Structures are given as C-alpha cells and as structure tokens.
Amino acid sequence: MTDHPTAAPADDAVGRVTDLLAGVDRLGVAFSGGVDSSVLLALAVRILGPGRVVAILGVSPSLAADEREGAHTVARHIGVPVVEISTHEGEVAAYQANGPDRCFHCKHELFTRIDDEVVAAHGLDAVAYGENADDARRPDRPGSRAATDHRVLRPLADAGLDKAAVRHLAHAFGLPSADKPAAPCLASRIPHFTPVTREKLAQIEAAESALRRLGLGDLRVRHHGDVARVELPADDLVRAVTTLREDIHAAVVAAGFRFAALDLATGIQSGAFTLPLVAATHA
C-alpha cells in the first residue's frame, strides 16, 4: 500500500489525525462549510465523538448568506452543533486598507473572538482550522501566521493531507460539500490597496448570487469600481457570451455595477490579487 495521501484510505487519515489530536478532549473547529473544514470536522467527530466537537462559524459582511446556510447544512449532516460568532474585521483599519496581509487581520479577528467567547464557554482544550498541505506551501496565506500566533492546530496540513486527499476523504465520508468549489471570502474579490467596504461586499454577494441562479456554479465577481470582472471556468464561457449574455449583464447591473466584463484570459484563479504581489516581494 502506498502512503501517498491521495491513495490513503479513510482509516489511515483518521489514524494520522488521531495522533495529532492526542491529549485533546474537546475541540473547536473553525468552520466555513468548505471542503477542508468539513473534512476536518468529520475527522474530529470520528476521533473524539460528536459530543466533544464544536463547529465555530465566524459571521460578518464578508460571508455570503448562502455560504452561511451551506455551513449549517454540512454541520447538521456531520452531527455537530454550530456556534456562530460575530467578527468585526471590517472595523480594523489594516483590514480595510486591503493589503496583501488582509487575511492575517481577518483570521486574527476570528481566532481572537474564539479565544474570548467560545473556548471557556464550551470547555475547549484546543482549536483547529482546515489548512491543508497544499495551502501550507503557498506564500499567499498570511492567515496561517494568525493561526500560529493563537496556537491554532492545523491537523490536515500536519498529517500531509493535500487538496486531492481532502476531496477523496470528503467523498469517502459522503459529505454534502465533497464537490463544493472553493469559496474564499467576498473581500478576496477586491483588488489590494482598494479599500474593503460593506457596500462593495454587498455588491459582490448580490452579483454572484444572481449568477448562480442562472446556473453558473464556480465563479468570481471581481470588483473594479464600476466594472464587475466575471471569472468563469472555460466550460461556461461559450454560454456566457451567447445564451446568458443579456442575463449576466442584467444581474451585474442590478447588483450596482455599470459594466460587466468577462475574463477570457485567466478564468478562475485562486489568489488572483495576492499572488502577483507576493511573487514580486519574493523575487
């Protein structure tokens, strides 16, 4: 049997994470409903039992309403209660300034609120979040520094579970999020050094929600002032410029933009705004 994470059976992954959670009696999982945190939550339940695990969902204007609802659906499937906490990263000047370290300030706010409001109230021994082994190697993940500062565990990454392995486990566990596209926070759609505001986040959420109602699944609406730059997978481009062209334009304008632009060059790119700045810094 190969020990490569993508080929490891579910019980092997459980064994690795069990070793990493040795000594933990009650665990809080920073939970978004995405595939990474869903797999971490499911693994924790298998190891500790549902009565000793709490899913913690940070709620703010940067979390889309459908993402919030989806997180509750996944947690119910796993059998774990969700504790919602309000986070106020939008009031932090460094977050509003939207530099490449924006995610640090967001995660710092989340983990601070968890420390202050959840750990003692639920008798938690530790808090963990769903960083995987691929994310741990990326230079555009300043949120991981906040996790280190708050001594938050990262069992998936430490167990060597990469994105492919996490997807494999999500299917093995029958999770509703197994095929869910990555859904970073709404603030990631705003170019760095352009201020993050509640109004921009609401525009982005409204546009993306409307486009999903048109049957477009994986997508991003990048906020460029009056222009919404829509990123879609290559398979959706043809219908976007033919049968859906007028509907896409109407949806974007209804969300408060003046113009709709379709990105033909890159499609959907994780870290589209952050990676070029990080690469330049490390060049």
Side-chain angles (χ1 to χ4, degrees):
M1 177 187 301
T2 179
D3 61 358
H4 190 277
T6 58
D11 57 356
D12 186 33
V14 172
R16 296 189 218 179
V17 177
T18 297
D19 292 340
L20 292 166
L21 296 182
V24 175
D25 183 59
R26 290 185 57 80
L27 180 70
V29 174
F31 182 65
S32 68
V35 65
D36 294 324
S37 63
S38 297
V39 166
L40 176 58
L41 190 67
L43 283 168
V45 165
R46 281 163 171 74
I47 294 164
L48 301 176
R52 294 161 60 192
V53 180
V54 176
I56 307 167
L57 177 64
V59 177
S60 77
S62 68
L63 177 70
D66 56 354
E67 293 294 321
R68 182 179 183 179
E69 181 180 350
H72 280 269
T73 298
V74 176
R76 281 194 299 271
H77 178 86
I78 296 172
V80 174
V82 174
V83 174
E84 289 194 348
I85 56 172
S86 295
T87 62
H88 304 280
E89 64 274 9
E91 300 172 11
V92 177
Y95 175 90
Q96 294 172 0
N98 196 19
D101 63 346
R102 183 197 63 242
C103 288
F104 167 81
H105 301 289
C106 181
K107 284 290 192 293
H108 175 70
E109 165 71 6
L110 172 65
F111 296 141
T112 297
R113 296 285 173 180
I114 290 174
D115 288 344
D116 292 346
E117 301 177 18
V118 183
V119 171
H122 291 268
L124 303 180
D125 300 299
V127 175
Y129 85 124
E131 182 182 74
N132 63 56
D134 287 330
D135 287 340
R137 290 188 286 267
R138 290 182 58 151
D140 63 325
R141 291 292 187 268
S144 65
R145 178 161 55 93
T148 299
D149 291 348
H150 287 267
R151 299 186 297 278
V152 174
L153 306 179
R154 54 196 92 203
L156 301 181
D158 290 342
L161 297 171
D162 59 14
K163 290 182 184 295
V166 171
R167 289 282 181 187
H168 176 84
L169 288 170
H171 283 284
F173 295 156
L175 298 180
S177 55
D179 293 314
K180 184 178 185 295
C185 79
L186 296 172
S188 68
R189 306 339 186 234
I190 302 173
H192 286 304
F193 306 113
T194 302
V196 175
T197 67
R198 183 184 291 265
E199 292 73 23
K200 291 176 184 175
L201 296 174
Q203 280 184 285
I204 295 164
E205 179 177 5
E208 292 191 351
S209 179
L211 295 182
R212 289 193 181 93
R213 289 196 295 271
L214 295 176
L216 299 168
D218 197 6
L219 61 94
R220 303 281 190 277
V221 172
R222 306 288 184 182
H223 196 296
H224 296 277
D226 286 342
V227 180
R229 176 165 59 88
V230 181
E231 296 179 353
L232 297 169
D235 290 346
D236 285 331
L237 290 179
V238 172
R239 64 191 183 116
V241 298
T242 54
T243 58
L244 293 179
R245 180 175 61 85
E246 293 183 359
D247 291 332
I248 289 174
H249 181 265
V252 167
V253 170
F257 296 95
R258 290 185 63 195
F259 306 104
L262 187 64
D263 192 319
L264 301 178
T266 59
I268 294 178
Q269 180 186 352
S270 175
F273 290 134
T274 306
L275 276 172
L277 296 177
V278 173
T281 301
H282 288 80

